[in-house]
Amino acid sequence: MNNNKITTKEIVVAAMVAAVIGVIFTLLDYAYMPLSAVLGTVFMELTFGIYMLSPALPMYIVRRPGMAIFGALVAAGVNLLLGSPYGIQLVLAGFLEALGVEIGYLVGKKYSGSYTNLVVGQILGAIFVLGRDTYFWGSPWVYGSTVAAGVIIVRLLSSVVIGILLVKVITAAIAKTGVLKGFRCVQ
């Protein structure tokens, strides 16, 4: 594919992937609150890596500036249209996650999809959303410093380990279909 311009195929694939993620997020949203009440705040942070898929997967597949933000906003739009109980806050969370991923792809080998790109993006996305959580709700600090430390550690680990693992596995599965022929992620 042309290295200078984003193609229609790249936009369509990123949008389709993000739309599917938006549907998955809606299902997770309705399960999150009841499960959080039963399993606890720290345990539920394990899901954060899944929520990082909306910016991370389109960016890893396409590897062009703006694709993380595009993917996160498409997923958030689908999630909103399907009736997510979290409303406009999920757009802000998606944008902040995407901002982290975009920055992550600027370091190291730019837009190569290297582990440096992935890890830095996942960590920054998690930290940026933690900033939003602290500003709007005081969480995780309202639970005390021990729980807050657990929340932060589990969120970061989930973002890096689960998030990157899912990105790699899903990309490999999509690549087997042939849809990603010519994309940098399969070269």
Side-chain angles (χ1 to χ4, degrees), residues 142-161:
V142 295
Y143 304 113
S145 59
T146 304
V147 173
V151 164
I152 294 167
I153 291 167
V154 173
R155 179 178 286 197
L156 290 172
L157 286 172
S158 174
S159 182
V160 171
V161 176

Side-chain angles (χ1 to χ4, degrees), residues 14 17-18 21 25 48-64 66-76 93-102 105 118 121-122 125-126 129 159 167:
V17 165
I21 292 169
F25 283 3
F48 195 82
I50 298 168
Y51 283 103
M52 283 296 296
L53 278 176
S54 66
L57 190 56
M59 178 60 96
Y60 185 76
I61 289 172
V62 179
R63 299 183 190 175
R64 296 195 189 271
M67 290 314 298
I69 292 171
F70 176 74
L73 294 179
V74 169
F95 178 78
L96 292 171
E97 291 165 357
L99 185 61
V101 171
E102 292 282 349
Y105 273 77
L118 291 163
Q122 296 294 105
V129 174
S159 182
V167 163

Side-chain angles (χ1 to χ4, degrees), residues 12-24:
V12 169
V13 168
M16 289 174 57
V17 165
V20 170
I21 292 169
V23 171
I24 293 167

Side-chain angles (χ1 to χ4, degrees), residues 69-156:
I69 292 171
F70 176 74
L73 294 179
V74 169
V78 169
N79 199 341
L80 278 172
L81 289 172
L82 292 175
S84 172
Y86 296 107
I88 199 71
Q89 279 296 331
L90 59 90
V91 175
L92 178 58
F95 178 78
L96 292 171
E97 291 165 357
L99 185 61
V101 171
E102 292 282 349
I103 293 169
Y105 273 77
L106 289 173
V107 300
K109 294 180 180 179
K110 289 185 178 181
Y111 300 98
S112 68
S114 69
Y115 277 104
T116 301
N117 294 148
L118 291 163
V119 171
V120 172
Q122 296 294 105
I123 289 171
L124 289 176
I127 289 170
F128 291 166
V129 174
L130 181 66
R132 179 213 57 168
D133 295 349
T134 299
Y135 179 79
F136 284 105
W137 302 288
S139 69
W141 313 107
V142 295
Y143 304 113
S145 59
T146 304
V147 173
V151 164
I152 294 167
I153 291 167
V154 173
R155 179 178 286 197
L156 290 172

